[in-house]
Amino acid sequence: MTKIDISLFGKKFRGSMLGVLTGDCLGSPYENEDLSSGSKLVLQNSFDKLEGPIFKAPVIQYTDDSAMSKSLAESLIEKKDLDLVDLVKRFVKNYYQEPYRGYGSGVIKVFEKLRRSKFSDILLPAKEQFNGQGSFGNGAAMRTTPIALFCYNNYNNLIDMTKKQSLITHTHKIGIDGAILQAIAIQQSLHIHPEDKFDVINYVDELVHKMNFIEVDEEGLDLEEVQPYKNQLNIVKTLLLEEGDKEPISEKVIEQLGNDISGLRSVPTAIFCFLRAQRPIEGIKTENPFRRAIQYAISLGGDTDTIGSMTGAIAGAFYGDNNIPPNILHHCEASRSFCQMADNLFQIANEVEWNSS
Ligand code: F2R
Ligand code: MG
Ligand code: MG
């Protein structure tokens, strides 16, 4: 195993934050679409154009995925810690300033209640969602990258802070554990040297092992599987092994892993897209494995901005920003500020002294 030096970690931080942004921006035009083979060609042409020589066009706007990641990053940078009161106020303020960013309908209700109650109990509105069940949406997972970066060297804090930031909007175990799995996947990617031999099955086995300790006390939650994420990760493994050198069958991936707004049927899909894109994929013509991962994620249709963004965060943490095509970044709104946030997070993550590790 090659040691990762400090400058490579810096590139990986940038890669992950820019991965959030590019996956979101490039995926958002297709959100909720059922992509036919014709639209996959449109997607290929669109990516080719964006990666090619710079042309004049309005920037592609980011959505709630990047907006909430930005709020979380800015809060961590300013407070040098996870300050839930500060964070929740930023979420609400940014939503009311820019309500057009495509927020989930449930999460909007949380923001309305928080504002109306003048933030008297910042955790109550999320607990009341969906008749007290809480949200199982992928909103807590899609925004968790800054926590994964901030805690890149501290696993216990990573789990604890990811859970805490989730509870502001998502209290269903599926919503919380999806965020934890996404954060763990980013952390794993950060600690692998991109030039080392990469065993995708080991990567999944490590995630399964860790989720074993996260998915506990699930009885009474009325879940089909006792350890639902572990179950999905085993499907990821089967699909990776089954396919060998054959092409991925999108329909099977969508049916078994999913492409929707729930954490359970989107986070494992993003992990699969990152891992599958280590090898060429038919219909996706690029030599760049970062682009291949997000283009493949978006080609699955459904919640394309979010699955694209989560795939981008994991892939960017693996490859670093030097593998993200600069001309693609040029077309995404706020790419410079996402790069700056990554650098600031890198600085504070290395300054912070953890009480325990
Ligand atoms: N919301 C969207 N896209 C809709 C299109 C927006 C449109 N472009 C426009 O504005 O015009 N995308 C974003 O939402 C997803 C993340 O959602 P989040 O933050 O988890 O929100 P929420 O509302 O908590 O959950 C999403 C939906 O999931 C269902 N749901 C969740 N928990 C449930 C439960 N316990 N029981 C029943 N249903 C539950 C509900 O339908 C929620 O509305 C991302 O895709 C992001 O891009
Ligand atoms: Mg979105
Ligand atoms: Mg989405």
Side-chain angles (χ1 to χ4, degrees):
M1 264 177 24
T2 316
K3 192 173 180 302
I4 300 177
D5 66 28
I6 197 81
S7 72
L8 179 54
F9 271 123
K11 291 188 175 102
K12 283 168 162 275
F13 270 53
R14 284 186 175 189
S16 195
M17 283 300 283
L18 292 170
V20 169
L21 180 72
T22 46
D24 178 21
C25 288
L26 302 190
S28 66
Y30 307 93
E31 195 181 19
N32 294 326
E33 279 191 30
D34 187 4
L35 294 184
S36 62
S37 55
S39 21
K40 283 177 189 156
L41 192 58
V42 172
L43 190 64
Q44 175 71 32
N45 292 338
S46 161
F47 268 70
D48 286 347
K49 197 170 167 205
L50 291 168
E51 195 183 346
I54 300 268
F55 59 95
K56 241 186 153 177
V59 285
I60 311 170
Q61 292 205 323
Y62 61 75
T63 77
D64 57 335
D65 307 59
S66 303
M68 296 186 89
S69 302
K70 185 168 176 283
S71 301
L72 186 41
E74 287 172 343
S75 180
L76 286 169
I77 291 163
E78 195 179 307
K79 299 291 172 186
K80 294 191 167 53
D81 199 356
L82 178 63
D83 178 333
L84 285 188
V85 175
D86 179 75
L87 179 61
V88 83
K89 288 185 175 167
R90 283 175 198 266
F91 280 160
V92 173
K93 183 172 169 227
N94 291 338
Y95 165 69
Y96 280 101
Q97 272 175 356
E98 298 179 333
Y100 52 82
R101 298 257 184 215
Y103 285 83
S105 57
V107 93
I108 293 173
K109 288 198 185 105
V110 173
F111 295 157
E112 287 167 350
K113 283 188 185 176
L114 284 165
R115 191 161 86 153
R116 219 179 306 130
S117 69
K118 297 197 169 59
F119 303 95
S120 61
D121 181 346
I122 58 165
L123 299 181
L124 182 64
K127 285 184 200 149
E128 291 174 347
Q129 289 292 85
F130 303 99
N131 298 320
Q133 267 193 358
S135 171
F136 53 58
N138 52 20
M142 77 189 182
R143 66 180 187 236
T144 205
T145 302
I147 297 275
L149 300 181
F150 185 66
C151 301
Y152 82 114
N153 267 334
N154 188 312
Y155 183 75
N156 291 341
N157 280 357
L158 174 89
I159 304 300
D160 184 50
M161 288 191 185
T162 303
K163 185 170 178 186
K164 284 185 176 144
Q165 75 83 8
S166 302
L167 290 172
I168 296 176
T169 50
H170 293 68
T171 61
H172 196 293
K173 193 84 166 63
I174 291 290
I176 301 166
D177 287 356
I180 293 176
L181 176 58
Q182 173 69 9
I184 296 175
I186 295 169
Q187 197 193 48
Q188 277 189 199
S189 286
L190 285 170
H191 287 275
I192 301 169
H193 200 293
E195 279 157 26
D196 277 354
K197 189 171 164 12
F198 179 37
D199 185 334
V200 296
I201 300 302
N202 272 351
Y203 183 97
V204 186
D205 281 340
E206 233 182 278
L207 291 175
V208 170
H209 174 73
K210 289 170 184 162
M211 287 311 283
N212 232 347
F213 298 95
I214 303 295
E215 293 192 290
V216 289
D217 304 326
E218 322 287 76
E219 284 88 2
L221 290 178
D222 199 21
L223 301 172
E224 267 178 44
E225 300 286 338
V226 181
Q227 293 183 301
Y229 282 100
K230 195 175 149 190
N231 190 59
Q232 291 300 91
L233 287 169
N234 282 324
I235 297 175
V236 167
K237 213 161 96 175
T238 309
L239 285 168
L240 288 167
L241 286 169
E242 237 180 38
E243 284 178 351
D245 284 333
K246 284 187 285 153
E247 297 313 323
I249 301 144
S250 297
E251 293 72 27
K252 197 166 167 186
V253 174
I254 296 165
E255 188 197 315
Q256 297 192 7
L257 292 178
N259 63 354
D260 64 40
I261 46 88
S262 69
L264 189 59
R265 291 183 62 78
S266 60
V267 177
T269 314
I271 293 166
F272 175 76
C273 291
F274 158 62
L275 296 173
R276 180 57 186 84
Q278 294 286 316
R279 294 181 278 125
I281 299 174
E282 197 183 66
I284 298 185
K285 298 185 187 72
T286 176
E287 294 297 311
N288 180 317
F290 172 85
R291 170 180 157 180
R292 190 185 300 130
I294 57 169
Q295 190 177 328
Y296 178 50
I298 296 166
S299 78
L300 296 177
D303 195 358
T304 46
D305 63 334
T306 305
I307 301 176
S309 182
M310 294 192 296
T311 303
I314 303 168
F318 182 85
Y319 296 111
D321 69 324
N322 40 327
N323 279 292
I324 304 185
N327 290 0
I328 286 190
L329 283 177
H330 174 86
H331 292 287
C332 297
E333 180 187 4
S335 57
R336 281 204 189 144
S337 89
F338 271 70
C339 200
Q340 187 60 56
M341 279 185 282
D343 290 350
N344 294 344
L345 280 168
F346 185 55
Q347 197 185 334
I348 59 158
N350 286 305
E351 277 168 12
V352 78
E353 281 183 37
W354 302 107
N355 293 329
S356 61
S357 53

